[in-house]
Amino acid sequence: MTAIAYSARPSATVPTATVRTQVTVPLRFSDGFKTTAEVVTFHGLADSKEHLLLALGPWEQALLAGQQAGADQPTQGPLVRLHSECLTGDVFGSERCDCGPQLREAVEQISVAGGFLLYLRQEGRGIGLYPKLDAYALQDTGMDTYDANLALGHGADERDYTAAAQMLNTMGAHSVRLLTNNPDKSAQLTDLGITVAELVPTGVHLTEANRYYLTAKRDKTAHTLTVPAAVAPEAAGAAAHPSAGQTPVPKAVVIPKDTDLLARVAALIPNLRERAADTEQRRQLPAETMAELHAAGVFRILAPRSVGGYGMGAGTYAGVVRLLARGCASTAWTAGHLIEHAWMLARWPEEVQAEVFANGTMPLAAATSAPVGAARQVPGGYLISGHWGFASGSMHSEWALLAVEYDGARLQCLVPVAEVEIQDAWHTDGLRGTGSHDVVVQDLFVPSHHAADWALLSSPQNPGSFLHPEPLLHAPMSTLLNVVGPSVALGSAEAALELFEQRLRPDASSSAATAGRRADSPLLQARYSQAFGKVASARLLWQEALAEWTTPAGQSGADADSQRAHFRLLLGLSADAAHEAVRLVLAGSGASVHRLSHPLQRIQRDVVVLVSHPTLALDPILEQAGRGLLGLGITARSF
Ligand SMILES: Nc1nc2c(ncn2[C@@H]2O[C@H](COP(=O)(O)OP(=O)(O)OP(=O)(O)O)[C@@H](O)[C@H]2O)c(=O)[nH]1
Ligand SMILES: [Zn+2]
């Protein structure tokens, strides 16, 4: 990390604290969420307690943005949570309160936005652990949480936030966005000289066990929260098997605006570029990349809202993949598929969705159907065998979706990755980071409910389409599967063009003289224009294909064929134009960009491998699209 400019601001009321130690701690939560914290300890805290500050996400940028922002830009400062210690809730998952889920939510939100989590040793609202448990005992006789404190001779809420203000001052966070529903926290901080530029509400993590406690917070201390009347089974922490017709309520997921999500992803591009060489060397995404994708909510994009997803549309999805590809094609390809496979799982029957989306976590699944495996029926399910290739993202997945043939029909089988053998087979010259290894199983038992008819899953009338309102679930499965490749191609071409421009612009090169000579070359000027035009073509074709996005449910015959032909043709031509742009850039860039240290050679290798994928191979697309457009009927089953 870079050095912190600690800037304690002297205050009449708040004594200055100083940093005692600062240490990096990687965090991993029980649901798999990972991030990294800079944990800071202090000298001179007013109450002499061992409070911690965890600096998370792009906190330095957030600090800087906050310091530079005007009063009219409250959304710029660091996101800060004052989390009061709760041993029972934070550590043991007690359902009497909502502290555990709030802590988990806060870490994720702050990791995305950049800011500080202050873990304040104020157990039991400042009365301590044993007294809190005594208060619980009183509550079991009917008292609410505040009256129980009073009955024990304590204040209803004894928390004092002076130490928190000291810690924030020490970090230079004089203006913050505060994550809380508790008006007392912002009132005290303001009195202590910290500007609360914005109040960001925390989620309401309601269970039947904490309903009374939350209601008391709302009624007794004016916490700004609404307590819904009914609790659905998942929110109540019950094993996730909602009964038919009931919408499971996942843990609080804050759904961003599409533009905010795209901005989050755009912010990842520099890191992805920095790690692109490492990614291909490892032949999988580095842990930091996975953590950043999780923190940005990328895997939630297409999953329906009722299972913890963002329920966004194909345009946003394609936009995310394109942006990721500006940083690293392997990352875009892998993430693009993992996102899409969560959406595929949302097409399965309710029972399976309850299992894979339990508690609002996003299932990561690798899917492959090449070549299709075999299945035998046995009591309770199937025994499947096969050796599949191209299982992108298998190194990051907990599930595998494997295609098998049974009795003339194709089934998709949902299998825990732990039960398959992943063979390290992805030794390629491009898209190496996708780790698209082989998956092998021999006579693996798959229970019937983990095997679904492929045709049904693919159709607009898939089981999930009756459970969720999101229109995207009503589109045929293959429609979306064709979007990832062209989006990766477009983002890659845009990255190549950007690098080309940097080489040609006199002011942007390490050697102004060389760049000047290059920029003066009419040949290179023409090459640049050509490449620029190809990227524009790729983008326009891609945009038009996505704009045509409809839900062709109920359509059949020639209309559906021609619509489908049009869609696939535009996407195929877009990827072709992107490929051509990359070729032109490389042709105009000389020998030095073929050094393995140069990103352009990697982009070229990635794009060449990309366009050999069946969803992008141009000749069959041209043929089938021609048939579709001419009303001759599409003959390829998977087109
Ligand atoms: N005394 C007492 N403390 C409790 C009880 N339940 C939870 N706590 C403590 O309350 C603290 C959390 O405060 P809350 O009132 O839940 O929430 P808050 O921090 O004020 O508000 P938010 O910022 O919106 O989360 C933790 O220190 C818990 O240990 C209880 O029944 N009695
Ligand atoms: Zn608690």
Side-chain angles (χ1 to χ4, degrees):
M1 64 172 284
T2 51
I4 307 173
Y6 298 116
S7 62
R9 184 165 64 178
S11 148
T13 46
V14 183
T16 302
T18 53
V19 168
R20 185 180 157 277
T21 52
Q22 175 192 315
V23 59
T24 306
V25 180
L27 307 179
R28 184 178 200 282
F29 287 78
S30 56
D31 60 0
F33 174 74
K34 289 203 260 189
T35 187
T36 302
E38 287 298 322
V39 178
V40 185
T41 66
F42 298 84
H43 282 302
L45 295 178
D47 55 10
S48 307
K49 295 222 173 100
E50 292 187 332
H51 304 298
L52 297 181
L53 178 144
L54 278 69
L56 295 163
W59 59 274
E60 289 148 309
Q61 289 94 315
L63 261 187
L64 213 63
Q67 284 158 4
Q68 289 164 355
D72 55 333
Q73 295 166 290
T75 52
Q76 298 293 320
L79 185 62
V80 168
R81 166 133 185 97
L82 311 187
H83 188 87
S84 305
E85 177 176 17
C86 174
L87 183 94
T88 43
D90 297 342
V91 178
F92 298 110
S94 159
E95 294 202 312
R96 289 187 82 123
C97 59
D98 59 346
C99 303
Q102 278 191 318
L103 181 63
R104 166 69 184 77
E105 175 201 344
V107 172
E108 180 162 349
Q109 282 216 50
I110 300 172
S111 295
V112 172
F116 307 113
L117 183 123
L118 275 58
Y119 194 79
L120 302 171
R121 316 305 296 277
Q122 303 168 321
E123 177 60 70
R125 300 198 185 107
I127 68 173
L129 180 60
Y130 278 15
K132 177 178 89 171
L133 294 169
D134 295 342
Y136 279 173
L138 286 181
Q139 288 161 35
D140 290 345
T141 67
M143 265 184 215
D144 74 34
T145 58
Y146 298 96
D147 288 343
N149 272 20
L150 297 173
L152 289 167
H154 291 287
D157 186 339
E158 298 191 351
R159 284 174 293 180
D160 176 296
Y161 300 102
T162 306
Q166 288 181 286
M167 293 157 88
L168 291 172
N169 277 334
T170 306
M171 301 303 287
H174 308 302
S175 172
V176 302
R177 301 166 57 221
L178 194 64
L179 187 57
T180 186
N181 297 327
N182 180 352
D184 186 43
K185 288 183 179 171
S186 54
Q188 283 204 37
L189 279 187
T190 308
D191 287 348
L192 290 159
I194 303 285
T195 305
V196 177
E198 190 190 354
L199 278 175
V200 182
T202 72
V204 177
H205 306 274
L206 177 67
T207 69
E208 271 318 330
N210 71 19
R211 164 182 295 281
Y212 191 45
Y213 159 85
L214 289 177
T215 312
K217 288 214 290 191
R218 180 193 62 193
D219 298 342
K220 287 286 178 84
T221 44
H223 278 63
T224 50
L225 47 85
T226 42
V227 182
V231 187
E234 270 198 341
H241 282 272
S243 55
Q246 230 169 2
T247 311
V249 180
K251 282 195 247 166
V253 171
V254 184
I255 297 171
K257 286 192 284 202
D258 292 51
T259 45
D260 289 344
L261 180 88
L262 289 164
R264 279 184 204 170
V265 174
L268 302 181
I269 294 174
N271 289 353
L272 298 181
R273 287 185 177 168
E274 214 167 280
R275 289 185 211 124
D278 186 39
T279 304
E280 75 166 355
Q281 239 159 44
R282 290 168 189 263
R283 291 180 301 124
Q284 67 182 59
L285 307 192
E288 298 90 322
T289 296
M290 285 303 287
E292 287 174 4
L293 295 172
H294 271 293
V298 161
F299 299 117
R300 296 187 185 275
I301 295 174
L302 291 180
R305 292 186 174 194
S306 63
V307 294
Y310 295 161
M312 291 172 167
T316 304
Y317 165 65
V320 163
V321 176
R322 167 194 182 183
L323 285 173
L324 291 173
R326 286 204 196 146
C328 168
S330 284
T331 301
W333 178 264
T334 308
H337 281 94
L338 292 173
I339 299 166
E340 184 188 273
H341 299 160
W343 169 79
M344 274 162 63
L345 284 166
R347 303 170 76 96
W348 279 65
E350 193 168 16
E351 183 187 10
V352 169
Q353 294 197 32
E355 182 183 354
V356 297
F357 291 105
N359 302 318
T361 54
M362 282 305 108
L364 297 189
T368 169
S369 52
V372 176
R376 259 181 319 126
Q377 200 161 29
V378 291
Y382 302 89
L383 287 182
I384 68 164
S385 300
H387 185 145
W388 297 263
F390 310 105
S392 302
S394 51
M395 310 300 286
H396 308 290
S397 297
E398 48 182 329
W399 297 100
L401 286 162
L402 305 172
V404 296
E405 199 86 22
Y406 173 71
D407 197 18
R410 189 187 285 196
L411 303 177
Q412 190 171 60
C413 296
L414 174 67
V415 173
V417 157
E419 293 179 13
V420 309
E421 183 193 343
I422 296 177
Q423 285 187 359
D424 179 355
W426 190 247
H427 298 277
T428 51
D429 58 353
L431 288 181
R432 288 171 65 78
T434 62
S436 305
H437 298 302
D438 289 5
V439 171
V440 182
V441 305
Q442 183 65 41
D443 286 335
L444 175 69
F445 176 71
V446 176
S448 320
H449 71 286
H450 275 192
D453 178 12
W454 185 285
L456 179 65
L457 290 179
S458 307
S459 86
Q461 288 81 30
N462 60 83
S465 72
F466 299 101
L467 300 172
H468 308 292
E470 279 84 357
L472 200 51
L473 282 166
H474 299 259
M477 194 156 78
S478 54
T479 327
L480 194 59
L481 304 189
N482 291 307
V483 169
V484 61
S487 306
V488 178
L490 174 59
S492 301
E494 287 170 330
L497 188 69
E498 196 184 317
L499 288 164
F500 197 31
E501 185 187 329
Q502 279 168 16
R503 288 177 64 74
L504 296 181
R505 270 193 193 279
D507 57 337
S509 165
S510 52
S511 156
T514 326
R517 271 204 311 282
R518 283 197 206 116
D520 281 342
S521 155
L523 205 66
L524 289 182
Q525 289 158 2
R527 218 22 128 236
Y528 178 76
S529 295
Q530 261 182 314
F532 186 95
K534 284 292 172 192
V535 171
S537 305
R539 188 175 54 246
L540 292 169
L541 287 161
W542 178 85
Q543 276 166 349
E544 190 175 331
L546 291 168
E548 282 200 359
W549 187 273
T550 51
T551 50
Q555 283 200 350
S556 61
D559 277 355
D561 266 10
S562 90
Q563 193 184 19
R564 179 133 200 80
H566 207 201
F567 178 69
R568 287 295 310 274
L569 181 62
L570 295 179
L571 288 176
L573 292 175
S574 167
D576 189 51
H579 180 198
E580 181 59 10
V582 172
R583 198 192 64 73
L584 288 165
V585 167
L586 268 288
S589 293
S592 64
V593 301
H594 288 279
R595 290 203 178 99
L596 287 177
S597 55
H598 202 285
L600 271 176
Q601 53 77 31
R602 180 181 322 106
I603 293 174
Q604 184 192 34
R605 287 185 286 109
D606 287 344
V607 168
V608 168
V609 172
L610 184 67
V611 295
S612 356
H613 190 265
T615 58
L616 289 182
L618 199 57
D619 282 341
I621 293 178
L622 294 176
E623 182 216 347
Q624 290 295 324
R627 294 190 62 90
L629 293 171
L630 293 169
L632 302 173
I634 289 172
T635 49
R637 176 177 156 182
S638 61
F639 187 74

